Structures are given as structure tokens and as C-alpha cells.
Amino acid sequence: MLDILPINAFTHSVKPYIIAGPCSAESEQQLIETAEALAALGVGVFRAGLWKPRTRPDTFEGVGSKGLKWLKEVKRHTRMRVATEVASPEHVEQALSAGIDILWIGARTTANPFAVQEIADALRGYDIPVMVKNPVNPDIDLWIGAMQRLNLAGIRRIAAVHRGFSLYNRSTYRNDPQWHIPIELRRRYPSLPIFCDPSHIGGRRALIQPLAQQAIDLQFDGLMIECHITPETAKSDAAQQITPAELDRILSCLTLHTDTPAGDEILHDLRRQIDALDTALLELLSKRMEITNEIGIYKKQHNMPVLQPGRYNEIISRLVSRCAGTGLDPDFIKKIFETIHSQSVANQLKL
Ligand code: PEP
Ligand code: MN
């Protein structure tokens, strides 16, 4: 159960709601210049990390509390609302006394119920919007649990931020989107505002536009996008930050959708689930092809034939026998895997 207020308790600008700003605050000048450019685009909420949870200890860990007065200056100067990440009760206390408008809990913190509980306890009695990023691991209940902890402490302006999930093998994405997870979250809590963070999912500038469009197609409420005045010099996440001008271009290219008539909501929800599953199938197929190519290289190096009929029969009969009880027609599965297998063989022959 989540007792939360709808998206307009968070922000009153038009959909999709945009939160933008650098990964990290680096200097007052960097913040002001970035914020001025974003305010000119009509962005209502400015983000900047002060305390940075970095994977490795030898990297920039944020300017810490000295950046609070820079954010206050951004607020005074641009009238934007300002948001920062908190990971401990000390961060919460300092952010609240500096008048930060919106807090967010980072992916590594969401994965730790002790830390989330301490943050929730520090927030008890305050009315401030809090965004909760998904945990680094693909566990929807852990994500919901973090939001419930805040909710039980009296926080009702809560939004979820989908930033993708860590995988041992990074493929196209820095963090795998696994769209079915935020879609399931929406199914369980239809009024929970959900933002997408294409910057941390993609990890590369070139992926922000297509990911943002996918998020819009899946009816996310808004986007959190990392923007830096000179992205290539950024002290953290340089490869994924974009300039305010690039943000402007991306936003103006987005295809927005009109609101669905209430009666179509069920159909749309089901179609969203189908689209997410199709995307997941595509990604699985691409991973499968990568592995069959590796096998092809191995066969070539060891002078083995490409086609091994015994193995082919083994694949088909194993899957056909697994159809029992799934509702899947074995002939259909046979056809699909014959096609997949013949494509793999064709790829191996080309090596
Ligand atoms: C961030 O928003 O800069 C950040 C650290 O994100 P995440 O918690 O998603 O890694
Ligand atoms: Mn970042």
C-alpha cells in the first residue's frame, strides 16, 4: 500500500515534466551557467549531486555540503526548484536546512533498507517531495519497500525514478532498462508518478534521445536528464551528460501522445506490456546471437564444422518438450527456433 499524492503535487509544468542539471555540482559558476540555460528552456526543476556515490574510491566524490549555498543561489537567481541526492540522515538535515526543494534517494541507497529507514526517520514530520531511484538490482519489491518506508514516515509526495539495473556484462546500456519492471510498478500503483532517467540507463549521449522517446511511449510522467554546460569536462558521468542546447533539441524532437480516453486505458496498459516484452525479446535475441558468434569463432579456430545436427536436434527437442503446460503450441516453438538457429548458422558461416 502506498498513500501518495499525484504528479501535480510535484510539479505544475506541462507533461513530460523535466528535471535536468549536472550529475555533480562542481563549482558555483558551472551550476549557475547550466541552470540559467535550463531555466531559459522552461525546465522547472534543477538537479545536482553534492554527495556522490561513486563505484571506485579514486574518483570525484562530490563537493559535499559546500555546494548547498550554490544550489540556494541557483534557486534565488533562476526561480527553479532545486533537487539533490541524500544518502544519510546528515545529508537530509543539511539539505532541509538549506531549503532544498526536492530530495532523491540514489540507486545504491535504495538497495539498502537500513539506509533508507534512517533517511525516512530523518524526514519524519517534514513535507518534502522525495524521488526514489530503483535499486541497482532488478527487485521491484525492494524499490516499493523503500517508497513504503518513506510513506510510513509521513512523506506523501513520492515519485519513482527508473534508471535501469546493473548487469555483470554491460551491453548496449550502462544500466539495463528492463522496462517490464517500471511497467509492473505502474500496474500496481497507477497514481504513482514515474520518471525515467535515460542518462543513467544509456550511459552515452547518443542513447538519450531514443530512451527518452521509449519512456514517453510507455507513458512515463517525466524525465530526469543530466545536463552540463561543458559535458566533456564533467568530473563524473562525462559520457552521458548533454548541453542544455542538446536537451532542447532532444525535447523538441520527442513525439508526445495525447491523453488516452479512460475506456482505452486497459488496452493501452496491455499494449505497453506487450511493447516492453517485445523489447526484452529483441535484447535477448541480440545476446543469443552474440554468443552464437563466439561459438562460431571457437569452431573456426578448432577446425570444427559449423553445423552439428546432434546439437540442433537437442535444442529443438529440449524446447518442444518444455512447451507442456505453458500454453505454447510446440509447432510454433519449433518454427521459431528453426528460424533462430538457421540465422545463427548463417552468421557462423560468414565468419
Ligand atoms: C545520479 O543521479 O547522479 C546518480 C548517482 O544516480 P543513480 O543513483 O541512479 O546511480
Ligand atoms: Mn550521474
Side-chain angles (χ1 to χ4, degrees):
M1 160 81 185
L2 279 177
D3 173 24
I4 36 168
L5 295 174
I7 183 75
N8 58 9
F10 243 86
T11 168
H12 295 279
S13 58
V14 286
K15 218 175 160 181
Y17 306 109
I18 306 297
I19 298 168
C23 177
S24 303
E26 297 166 12
S27 69
E28 180 163 11
Q29 193 192 356
Q30 168 238 10
L31 286 198
I32 299 283
E33 282 180 20
T34 313
E36 273 178 351
L38 292 172
L41 302 180
V43 172
V45 179
F46 182 77
R47 62 146 283 156
L50 304 178
W51 300 282
K52 297 302 298 178
R54 303 307 302 281
T55 303
R56 307 268 281 269
D58 53 354
T59 48
F60 174 66
E61 292 191 306
V63 295
S65 49
K66 81 165 184 239
L68 287 166
K69 56 179 184 305
W70 305 340
L71 281 175
K72 267 171 126 167
E73 189 51 25
V74 164
K75 201 172 145 167
R76 195 193 61 77
H77 190 69
T78 65
R79 309 245 159 247
M80 291 167 107
R81 290 192 298 157
V82 293
T84 201
E85 173 171 348
V86 290
S88 69
E90 295 72 38
H91 296 164
V92 170
E93 245 165 63
Q94 295 183 51
L96 288 172
S97 49
I100 298 296
D101 302 288
I102 298 176
L103 305 177
W104 85 80
I105 296 184
R108 294 157 190 82
T109 308
T110 307
N112 177 355
F114 288 131
V116 174
Q117 191 56 53
E118 284 182 3
I119 292 169
D121 292 340
L123 283 168
R124 203 175 290 277
Y126 293 94
D127 175 23
I128 183 166
V130 184
M131 300 185 284
V132 181
K133 290 200 165 198
N134 64 254
V136 279
N137 53 325
D139 183 341
I140 192 171
D141 292 314
L142 195 56
W143 194 3
I144 294 169
M147 293 188 272
Q148 282 172 330
R149 287 177 197 277
L150 295 168
N151 210 199
L152 289 169
I155 300 293
R156 293 186 68 214
R157 288 189 284 168
I158 295 175
V161 181
H162 168 235
R163 51 77 79 199
F165 302 88
S166 288
L167 293 180
Y168 181 68
N169 283 318
R170 277 186 194 156
S171 55
T172 313
Y173 305 107
R174 177 178 177 196
N175 290 293
D176 202 50
Q178 310 218 5
W179 294 106
H180 60 283
I181 296 181
I183 288 171
E184 172 60 11
L185 188 65
R186 162 78 17 107
R187 192 189 65 77
R188 292 198 208 173
Y189 304 101
S191 63
L192 172 71
I194 309 183
F195 286 81
C196 179
D197 170 350
S199 310
H200 288 90
I201 296 176
R204 293 184 276 141
R205 284 185 259 291
L207 290 177
I208 293 173
Q209 156 84 39
L211 286 165
Q213 185 64 56
Q214 270 181 287
I216 297 302
D217 294 344
L218 292 170
Q219 302 205 19
F220 277 70
D221 297 285
L223 302 166
M224 181 195 257
I225 298 183
E226 286 190 341
C227 281
H228 193 290
I229 201 77
T230 49
E232 55 294 340
T233 69
K235 292 189 175 170
S236 60
D237 291 352
Q240 72 194 32
Q241 301 206 59
I242 55 174
T243 61
E246 283 165 326
L247 177 70
D248 190 24
R249 213 163 28 246
I250 287 175
L251 296 180
S252 59
C253 289
L254 286 180
T255 307
L256 304 179
H257 310 288
T258 47
D259 279 343
T260 340
D264 280 359
E265 199 40 53
I266 295 172
L267 184 62
H268 269 255
D269 186 47
L270 293 169
R271 285 187 172 151
R272 275 203 298 270
Q273 294 184 48
I274 290 292
D275 288 344
L277 288 171
D278 286 345
T279 306
L281 281 173
L282 211 71
E283 282 164 10
L284 283 173
L285 277 176
S286 143
K287 281 199 187 116
R288 192 188 193 283
M289 285 301 169
E290 269 171 36
I291 296 176
T292 51
N293 284 347
E294 265 180 54
I295 293 178
I297 292 167
Y298 182 90
K299 285 177 183 163
K300 194 167 179 183
Q301 283 167 349
H302 294 80
N303 208 14
M304 291 161 76
V306 163
L307 187 64
Q308 287 157 328
R311 172 65 184 148
Y312 174 58
N313 288 336
E314 187 186 302
I315 292 175
I316 303 288
S317 50
R318 187 180 76 87
L319 292 167
V320 163
S321 69
R322 290 192 65 152
C323 286
T326 62
L328 289 166
D329 177 349
D331 283 339
F332 163 65
I333 292 302
K334 192 160 174 268
K335 244 188 264 162
I336 287 187
F337 280 90
E338 279 168 359
T339 308
I340 293 175
H341 186 266
S342 70
Q343 182 67 40
S344 303
V345 168
N347 288 352
Q348 290 186 351
L349 284 173
K350 279 192 242 146
L351 290 170

